Amino acid sequence: MEGARDTGVPGIEADCGGACACSSCHVDVAQDWLERLTPPQPGEADMLDFACSPDPARSRLSCQIRVTPALDGLVVHLPERQI
Ligand code: FES
């Protein structure tokens, strides 16, 4: 989320600033990358219920994705709208 926000990627609103309290940073992770991410914690999964049309298999809150070198090239897709 911070990387997208800081580089001006449109569609990542991040209203709560990364506190896992708004779901306006919702993204859908490309299928090929799903196994490389740690699973969502319960709080993230609960907050995704408030996202716009979340995909239970691929949706994540981008503020909860800890970026590491192993995620270099991570592909995510933005929903049509947030919340
Ligand atoms: S920025 Fe609010 S939940 Fe991610």
Side-chain angles (χ1 to χ4, degrees):
M1 174 279 283
E2 291 175 342
R5 181 197 59 202
D6 294 349
T7 57
V9 174
I12 301 287
E13 298 173 12
D15 293 334
C16 76
C20 194
C22 73
S23 79
S24 67
C25 64
H26 166 211
V27 296
D28 290 327
V29 176
Q31 188 72 35
D32 309 5
W33 287 88
L34 287 171
E35 291 182 5
R36 293 185 237 188
L37 299 180
T38 57
Q41 296 297 304
E44 178 184 354
D46 290 346
M47 190 52 64
L48 276 167
D49 289 342
F50 297 99
C52 180
S53 303
D55 178 333
R58 300 187 318 119
S59 290
R60 295 295 303 268
L61 296 179
S62 58
C63 70
Q64 301 302 302
I65 299 173
R66 184 172 301 275
V67 177
T68 67
L71 294 183
D72 186 21
L74 175 66
V75 176
V76 300
H77 303 278
L78 294 169
E80 283 188 30
R81 61 186 173 87
Q82 297 287 2
I83 307 179

